Amino acid sequence: MSTEDIKLAPKNFVQDKEFAKAMHAKSSTTSGLGALTKKDQKASEIAIEGYFKHWDGKTDSQSENSRLLDYSSLTKHYYNLVTDFYEYGWGSSFHFCRFYKTEPFRQAIARHEHYLALKMGINENMKVLDVGCGVGGPAREISTFTGCKVVGLNNNDYQVERGNIAAEKAGLGDKVSLVKGDFMQMDFEPESFDAVYAIEATVHAPVLEGVYSEIYKVLKPGGVFGVYEWVMTDKYDETNEEHRKIAYGIEIGDGIPKMYKKEVADKALKNVGFEILYEKDLADNNDEIPWYYPLSGDWKYIQSIHDIMTFIRTSNLGRKVTTFTVGTLEKIGLIPKDSVKVTEALEEAAVYLVKGGEQKLFTPMMLYVVRKPLN
């Protein structure tokens, strides 16, 4: 599907905000699984139905096109449903990273963000855009690390609210702000940012040229865009049934309309006018500790005592415990109906992320650093 084939979603920002308020109003200041008990059940059921209507196990072009065309609604519903699970299991930075021996989980996550800022040359004099910023964990870390100002763009009102609350609590209210928007149709003035980055977020775009061209537009001439992109590697064969099953498992559990191969990202960056300065698959290093270790259930990779609780929550056993807990709470009526479908989708994603990583069919950290030409 090309950019021309995508009908951009209407900007129903008022409606989106009203829905988020209805669903999350009582839980916006509560984190983790406890927030689930404070959700509005009717709104939650609408979000669940709105998301899972697209996932029927089919990978034919008609089913894929349906998901691509509904990219905005699909992504909003996904993060309305999974944000609390992400924060509970992973923290406020929703991304993977490399791990070094003896390096604790939180330190590795922060280093991954610092590395991106370093490769891009971000400094304290810059105004930087974070595309698909989640709840602002990376924005807060990169602002603290470099001194820059960061604007986070997000199409999910609940995450915007949680991120702005967190920035204020961290004393970064004057440095970090999250705003509502669609990265396929940004409302910023052209050439208004010194640098732009995206961490495992632009994969939610139905067409990469669409989001990359918007980034190109708002970036100043000579400015740098850095992205950790989710792509299928050159080893991936879409006609291979097992390969497609792995890609579909990642898609359904991570709210992705369609996974693309690395060559698609390469071409999209060049097509919109970027000059590629640096590219490297950071997952392809034969690291002793694989990037997917927190999902693997392999205890030998734990690096510190502080990682144990994170690992318990994210490992296959921990995910099964979470699914059981959510199922029990659902049965007794404390959380919305069909909530367990969300944990099952997250479980499926974890299983196939590990399979994709083990077979080197998938990478969550294809790093590109590209420049917008001066002329």
Side-chain angles (χ1 to χ4, degrees), residues 282-296:
L282 297 188
D284 188 20
N285 289 283
N286 295 314
D287 290 332
E288 186 175 346
I289 304 170
W291 61 265
Y292 51 81
Y293 107 77
L295 304 178
S296 69

Side-chain angles (χ1 to χ4, degrees), residues 170-188:
L172 292 169
D174 62 333
K175 288 279 193 177
V176 176
S177 61
L178 276 61
V179 298
K180 165 81 172 188
D182 181 349
F183 60 26
M184 293 287 287
Q185 42 185 337
M186 297 185 193
D187 293 320
F188 304 114

Side-chain angles (χ1 to χ4, degrees), residues 148-163:
C148 72
K149 289 188 175 180
V150 182
V151 176
L153 180 67
N154 194 319
N155 80 335
N156 183 276
D157 291 89
Y158 181 50
Q159 291 192 340
V160 169
E161 181 180 12
R162 291 190 64 77

Side-chain angles (χ1 to χ4, degrees), residues 115-220:
Y115 183 74
L116 177 63
L118 177 68
K119 295 296 287 186
M120 293 176 61
I122 295 175
N123 63 54
E124 66 273 16
N125 299 313
M126 289 183 172
K127 180 183 177 183
V128 180
L129 176 64
D130 179 335
V131 176
C133 61
V135 294
R140 296 190 295 276
E141 187 64 40
I142 287 175
S143 177
T144 301
F145 179 61
T146 67
C148 72
K149 289 188 175 180
V150 182
V151 176
L153 180 67
N154 194 319
N155 80 335
N156 183 276
D157 291 89
Y158 181 50
Q159 291 192 340
V160 169
E161 181 180 12
R162 291 190 64 77
N164 284 326
I165 290 172
E168 289 293 338
K169 285 183 177 179
L172 292 169
D174 62 333
K175 288 279 193 177
V176 176
S177 61
L178 276 61
V179 298
K180 165 81 172 188
D182 181 349
F183 60 26
M184 293 287 287
Q185 42 185 337
M186 297 185 193
D187 293 320
F188 304 114
E189 289 295 320
E191 302 180 0
S192 55
F193 290 96
D194 300 296
V196 181
Y197 69 83
I199 301 179
E200 303 184 21
T202 48
V203 68
H204 292 290
V207 179
L208 289 177
E209 277 94 341
V211 63
Y212 290 165
S213 64
E214 287 294 289
I215 289 168
Y216 189 93
K217 180 181 71 177
V218 303
L219 186 61
K220 293 179 181 178

